[in-house]
């Protein structure tokens, strides 16, 4: 069996919900996968298990040497995959001829573009920032084109953020874990229960969603928000006096707690502004919702509508107050059984086309062909 070293950009204690099922479980059936996480809190590298290692961040510039010193033999790997960190990718490329492995760069989210979008929202972007971004993209593209494989989350992400990458590309989207499905816990109340999971900030413009909820003529609904910054959410909701009794705010401490909250909802909310940083891939929260067969109201985009069908296995609308309001009113007019049926269809759709088991098999086949 061939061996792959996956160098993440994540701290050992963070949620590894994407890395764990795809790379630790499903891809491991075809390729022996070892995973490197980083730590700010330890002074020495450590083998956490047979296939997991943690390395202090200060060793990033000499990562392969540090792994070799800790009995992780780099010359045994057929592939080295780097997640998001272009500096580590550059280091891995420099050592490629010495060890003869194939190199893979994994792009999951356009972090710098998201940061720029945040600065735009705060009115802090200058022409120099824009020029710097273009130069960095040029340099990153040059490095990625030296790799054997580029592994973006979607074709749209490739086209929007790295259009001049010409090396072999394998699309590796997020998916649903067929062994981590949870039952949809049907509540006895008559109200429809909506759920929003994720970050709230100026860029996501969640006020537009709250504006739509505030215009509804009925109040037979509840909205639960789970976010890492509950104070920000509370201050936002306080601007809508007519909504305070309909909204609950949580800060789920871990993924299991979040999924437990989602399982008690009726409809997931994944409405985001029509910016490339959000509409070039399906948000992970959507997979979390459908893991419990919770149907989702989401932004109409060229990416989402390739996977879902409006009013069949999801609901689409534009990210505009009136359009959101009209779609919410339509959902509120449906019976609970009709809503649950949309969720069941959506879950089946994702299990058919965005199933980690299938994604791993496809990825392994394409890597074997390199």
């Amino acid at each position: 069996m061939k061996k792959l070293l996956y160098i993440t950009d994540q701290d050992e204690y963070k949620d590894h919900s994407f890395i764990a099922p795809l790379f630790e479980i499903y891809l491991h059936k075809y390729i022996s996968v070892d995973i490197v996480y980083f730590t700010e809190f330890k002074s020495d590298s450590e083998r956490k298990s047979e296939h997991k290692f943690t390395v202090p961040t200060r060793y990033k510039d000499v990562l392969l040497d540090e792994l070799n010193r800790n009995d992780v033999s780099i010359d045994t790997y057929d592939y080295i995959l780097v997640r998001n960190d272009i500096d580590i990718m550059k280091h891995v490329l420099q050592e490629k001829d010495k060890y003869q492995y194939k190199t893979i760069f994994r792009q999951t989210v356009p972090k710098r573009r998201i940061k720029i979008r945040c600065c735009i929202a705060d009115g802090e972007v200058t022409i120099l920032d824009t020029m710097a971004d273009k130069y960095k993209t040029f340099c990153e593209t040059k490095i990625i084109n030296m790799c054997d494989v580029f592994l973006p989350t979607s074709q749209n992400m490739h086209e929007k953020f790295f259009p001049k990458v010409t090396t072999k590309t394998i699309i590796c989207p997020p998916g649903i874990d067929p062994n981590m499905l949870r039952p949809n816990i049907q509540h006895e109340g008559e109200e429809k229960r909506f759920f929003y999971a994720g970050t709230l900030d100026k860029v996501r413009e969640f006020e537009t969603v709250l504006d739509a909820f505030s215009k509804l003529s009925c109040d037979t609904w509840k909205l639960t928000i789970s976010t890492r910054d509950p104070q920000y959410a509370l201050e936002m909701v306080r601007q809508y006096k007519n909504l305070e009794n309909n909204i609950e705010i949580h800060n789920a401490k871990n993924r299991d707690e979040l999924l437990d909250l989602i399982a008690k909802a009726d409809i997931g909310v994944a409405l985001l502004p029509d910016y490339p940083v959000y509409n070039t891939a399906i948000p992970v929260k959507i997979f979390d919702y459908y893991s419990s067969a919770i149907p989702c109201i989401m932004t109409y985009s060229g990416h989402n509508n390739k996977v879902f069908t409006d009013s069949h296995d999801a609901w689409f609308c534009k990210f505009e107050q009136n359009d959101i309001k009209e779609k919410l009113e339509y959902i509120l007019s449906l019976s609970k059984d009709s809503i649950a049926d949309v969720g069941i269809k959506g879950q089946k759709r994702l299990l058919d086309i965005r199933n980690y088991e299938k994604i791993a098999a496809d990825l392994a086949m394409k890597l074997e062909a390199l």
Side-chain angles (χ1 to χ4, degrees):
M1 183 179 284
K2 290 190 175 180
K3 292 182 66 178
L4 181 147
L5 180 65
Y6 187 12
I7 302 171
T8 76
D9 58 339
Q10 294 193 342
D11 181 89
E12 63 172 320
Y13 297 114
K14 288 187 177 178
D15 173 25
H16 304 139
S17 55
F18 177 77
I19 292 172
L22 178 57
F23 290 93
E24 287 186 23
I25 300 172
Y26 297 112
L27 188 62
H28 201 74
K29 295 178 181 179
Y30 309 96
I31 300 172
S32 179
V33 180
D34 292 339
I35 302 179
V36 175
Y37 296 105
F38 291 96
T39 178
E40 296 277 359
F41 309 105
K42 297 176 182 176
S43 57
D44 298 311
S45 298
E46 180 181 1
R47 181 185 287 271
K48 301 290 288 186
S49 66
E50 183 181 358
H51 296 287
K52 285 186 189 177
F53 312 96
T54 59
V55 177
T57 53
R58 71 174 184 274
Y59 290 122
K60 280 188 175 184
D61 292 342
V62 289
L63 177 60
L64 299 190
D65 288 341
E66 174 64 13
L67 290 170
N68 270 326
R69 282 194 296 271
N70 286 272
D71 299 322
V72 182
S73 301
I74 301 301
D75 59 3
T76 65
Y77 291 103
D78 300 282
Y79 317 97
I80 295 187
L81 190 161
V82 177
R83 184 181 194 266
N84 291 329
D85 194 316
I86 202 73
D87 291 326
I88 293 179
M89 188 74 257
K90 186 176 180 180
H91 167 65
V92 169
L93 282 166
Q94 289 170 345
E95 300 291 312
K96 179 181 178 180
D97 290 343
K98 179 178 179 181
Y99 294 107
Q100 298 298 307
Y101 45 66
K102 301 289 186 181
T103 53
I104 307 165
F105 185 71
R106 169 82 175 127
Q107 185 71 45
T108 61
V109 291
K111 291 184 177 181
R112 189 174 66 255
R113 299 295 179 87
I114 291 174
K115 184 177 180 180
I116 288 173
R117 178 54 62 179
C118 290
C119 291
I120 290 173
D122 291 329
E124 297 176 354
V125 170
T126 68
I127 187 66
L128 291 178
D129 295 320
T130 303
M131 291 174 63
D133 175 58
K134 289 183 178 180
Y135 177 72
K136 288 177 181 178
T137 300
F138 170 80
C139 294
E140 289 166 353
T141 297
K142 187 176 180 180
I143 292 169
I144 295 170
N145 278 334
M146 295 169 64
C147 298
D148 294 290
V149 176
F150 179 44
L151 207 67
T153 296
S154 69
Q155 184 62 34
N156 286 349
M157 181 179 288
H158 182 188
E159 293 169 359
K160 289 285 186 181
F161 300 114
F162 293 98
K164 295 187 179 180
V165 166
T166 56
T167 195
K168 181 178 178 60
T169 297
I170 300 174
I171 304 302
C172 185
I176 193 168
D177 186 344
N179 291 315
M180 290 296 289
L181 305 182
R182 294 185 177 221
N184 182 342
I185 301 171
Q186 291 292 309
H187 59 87
E188 295 182 359
E190 290 300 318
E191 78 274 6
K192 306 299 194 312
R193 297 182 181 180
F194 295 84
F195 193 94
Y196 175 86
T199 303
L200 294 177
D201 55 25
K202 288 184 179 180
V203 185
R204 287 167 176 81
E205 301 174 20
F206 198 70
E207 294 91 341
T208 301
V209 178
L210 293 179
D211 286 341
F213 272 105
S214 72
K215 301 299 182 184
L216 294 175
S217 57
C218 70
D219 64 353
T220 55
W221 58 270
K222 298 287 185 183
L223 170 63
T224 299
I225 297 171
S226 180
T227 182
R228 288 175 294 179
D229 189 352
Q231 185 59 38
Y232 184 94
L234 183 61
E235 291 172 0
M236 183 184 296
V237 171
R238 280 176 177 165
Q239 299 175 38
Y240 301 85
K241 295 300 181 183
N242 65 325
L243 297 185
E244 288 185 292
N245 293 331
N246 295 77
I247 297 179
E248 291 183 0
I249 298 171
H250 292 263
N251 178 13
K253 297 297 186 289
N254 52 54
R255 181 169 173 78
D256 283 339
E257 187 175 326
L258 174 64
L259 294 178
D260 284 344
L261 288 170
I262 289 173
K264 298 172 185 175
D266 298 310
I267 304 110
V269 177
L271 295 165
L272 293 164
D274 188 21
Y275 301 140
V277 292
Y278 297 134
N279 64 18
T280 53
I282 293 178
V284 172
K285 62 169 65 71
I286 290 178
F287 297 98
D288 289 339
Y289 297 149
Y290 282 99
S291 290
S292 288
I294 303 298
C296 186
I297 176 173
M298 62 186 75
T299 312
Y300 180 87
S301 73
H303 197 77
N304 289 341
N305 64 17
K306 290 178 182 177
V307 175
F308 298 100
T309 301
D310 188 29
S311 296
H312 175 72
D313 47 24
W315 297 285
F316 294 152
C317 62
K318 297 177 183 176
F319 194 76
E320 298 171 355
Q321 176 187 314
N322 289 336
D323 211 43
I324 296 171
K325 172 180 173 289
E326 289 178 7
K327 190 62 73 169
L328 291 175
E329 288 176 335
Y330 170 73
I331 294 170
L332 290 170
S333 73
L334 299 174
S335 69
K336 288 177 66 175
D337 287 343
S338 296
I339 290 172
D341 184 59
V342 173
I344 292 169
K345 290 175 180 175
Q347 185 184 87
K348 182 180 184 302
R349 172 68 171 160
L350 291 177
L351 288 171
D352 286 343
I353 68 167
R354 287 293 183 87
N355 181 324
Y356 274 136
E357 228 168 6
K358 297 178 181 179
I359 292 170
D362 181 66
L363 178 58
M365 179 183 68
K366 290 176 179 176
L367 290 178
E368 180 67 31
L370 291 179

